[in-house]
Structures are given as structure tokens and as C-alpha cells.
Amino acid sequence: MMTNLFSIFEPSSKLNNFSLNWLSPLLGLKFFPYLFGASPSRWSLLWSKIILILHNEFKTILGNFNKMSTIIFVSLFSFIMFNNLLGLLPHVFTSSSHMVMTLSISLPMWLTFMVFGWFFYPNHMFAHLMPQGTPPILMPFMVLIETVSNMIRPATLAIRLAANMMAGHLLLSLLGNNGPSLGWSFLIIILLISQILLIILEFAVAIIQSYVFAVLSTLFASEIN
């Protein structure tokens, strides 16, 4: 049973040894011509407002860092949120629930931050391993703890996003598989209401998790400055 449930997260649809499910992140490219050619609407104005708010927030977090670098994190938020919301549609593979997708985003970004920080600000990076006010007897342990904490950051980012997107889909699958066995009864109405509420919750989780991923990435970038 559990194998069947987790199989919904396996990109197994293939044509000529290429998984078609991984094409889902590219579906957003079909909307770009419409966005550039259509007249401004309430949705486009709302999206512009959201981008402006995110830009100001990321600019505050980055501090003295290059202010134009916020476009990286705003684009990261937009890309992850699009894939999270796309996974809520029927028969669409949720690429953000797969570790291949999440780790391929977090690992290169973390590695770039580390190479940039150690190359241009080595003293600051060494100082970051030793919090101010640490007793001398605890200094070796704090360096070890900070090093391990820094090394597992890309994994924690990837697992957080994948696990949160996977949990809601598993719960929806569990409830949906029990529907045919209930028949036409009062329980089926409760099941439908529960699934509608879960879909609304998943919609909120999709936006929140993309925001958390982008904010944590911004915080990691601000530490090297």
C-alpha cells in the first residue's frame, strides 16, 4: 500500500527513455507570451505588487549586499511557487516534491555562497564559526557544531520543501483511495469536504514553502557579507 502511495512521486512516465513528468516546470514558458502581449489586469497588478514587497523585504535582509541580487531570490520564489501550485492540478507531476529537484536548487546556491564567502571574506567566514562570547572550553565544540550546521544547510532546505509538498499529497491520496469503499453515504460528504479543505490548505502551504525557501536562501546569502 505504501509503495503504491509513494509511487505518485516517481516520475515514471517515459518516452524514448526520457521522463515526460520533468517537463512540468517548463509549462510556465507557455504563459510568457501572454503576459507580455496582454493588457494589464488585476492579476498582473497584484503579482507586480507581490514582487515589489518581496524585493523590499529581501533588500532589507541582504543589508549592504548588492541590492539587485534580490532578483535571484524573487525569481526563486516565483519558480518554486509555480511548481508547487502546478502540482495541485490533477495528473500533473509535482516536481518540487522530488529530492532531485529541490537538492539541485539548494546545493548549487549554497555552494556558490560558500565559494564567494571564503574567497572574498575569509576572516568573516572564520569568525562566523565562533559566536561572540563563547567560553574558551567550548570553542572547539562550537566550531564543530557550526561547521556541521553549515554543511547540512542545502539538505535541510531540500528536505523541508520536498517533505512538506509530499505530506499533503499523501494525505489527499489516502482520503481519495477510501472514497469508493464508502459508497453513497453521509461519510462521502464528509470526505469531500475534508478534501476541499485540504486542497485549500495545500494551496497555502505551496505559497508558504516557496516563501520560506527564498527567505532562508536570502539569510544564508546575507551571512557572507
Side-chain angles (χ1 to χ4, degrees):
M1 183 64 180
M2 293 303 295
T3 303
N4 294 332
L5 281 176
F6 283 99
S7 64
I8 64 176
F9 303 103
E10 180 63 30
S12 57
S13 300
K14 295 184 179 181
L15 179 63
N16 296 328
N17 295 324
F18 181 76
S19 178
L20 297 179
N21 283 323
W22 287 114
L23 293 177
S24 60
L26 302 178
L27 293 178
L29 298 176
K30 299 180 63 175
F31 298 98
F32 283 135
Y34 171 78
L35 294 177
F36 285 110
S39 59
S41 61
R42 289 192 179 99
W43 291 109
S44 61
L45 294 176
L46 176 62
W47 182 245
S48 300
K49 183 66 174 179
I50 293 174
I51 290 178
L52 181 61
I53 293 174
L54 291 174
H55 168 72
N56 293 329
E57 182 171 351
F58 293 159
K59 184 173 62 175
T60 303
I61 296 175
L62 290 174
N64 296 327
F65 212 68
N66 186 6
K67 302 301 188 296
M68 291 304 296
S69 58
T70 57
I71 191 174
I72 301 175
F73 305 104
V74 173
S75 302
L76 181 65
F77 167 82
S78 304
F79 178 73
I80 295 176
M81 187 185 70
F82 171 78
N83 285 279
N84 291 348
L85 296 178
L86 194 65
L88 298 177
L89 299 177
H91 306 291
V92 177
F93 175 65
T94 312
S95 58
S96 55
S97 65
H98 206 286
M99 284 293 295
V100 173
M101 177 75 171
T102 56
L103 195 60
S104 63
I105 297 176
S106 62
L107 184 59
M109 185 172 297
W110 172 84
L111 188 61
T112 303
F113 294 156
M114 289 297 100
V115 172
F116 178 83
W118 285 104
F119 187 79
F120 290 100
Y121 306 102
N123 294 331
H124 176 76
M125 297 299 290
F126 276 115
H128 184 68
L129 298 177
M130 184 61 60
Q132 188 176 4
T134 304
I137 192 173
L138 296 178
M139 286 183 179
F141 299 101
M142 290 304 299
V143 172
L144 180 61
I145 292 173
E146 290 293 330
T147 302
V148 174
S149 175
N150 201 3
M151 294 292 291
I152 65 174
R153 281 179 175 178
T156 55
L157 275 178
I159 294 173
R160 180 186 291 107
L161 177 58
N164 280 280
M165 296 309 301
M166 187 182 295
H169 286 68
L170 282 176
L171 189 55
L172 287 171
S173 299
L174 282 171
L175 293 177
N177 291 335
N178 293 327
S181 61
L182 296 178
W184 292 100
S185 62
F186 180 71
L187 294 176
I188 196 68
I189 299 177
I190 298 178
L191 179 63
L192 289 175
I193 295 175
S194 301
Q195 284 198 311
I196 292 173
L197 294 177
L198 278 175
I199 290 175
I200 296 175
L201 178 62
E202 278 295 291
F203 183 85
V205 169
I207 299 176
I208 292 172
Q209 288 304 315
S210 57
Y211 174 77
V212 169
F213 195 99
V215 169
L216 290 178
S217 301
T218 310
L219 290 172
F220 295 160
S222 65
E223 290 182 359
I224 66 175
N225 187 12

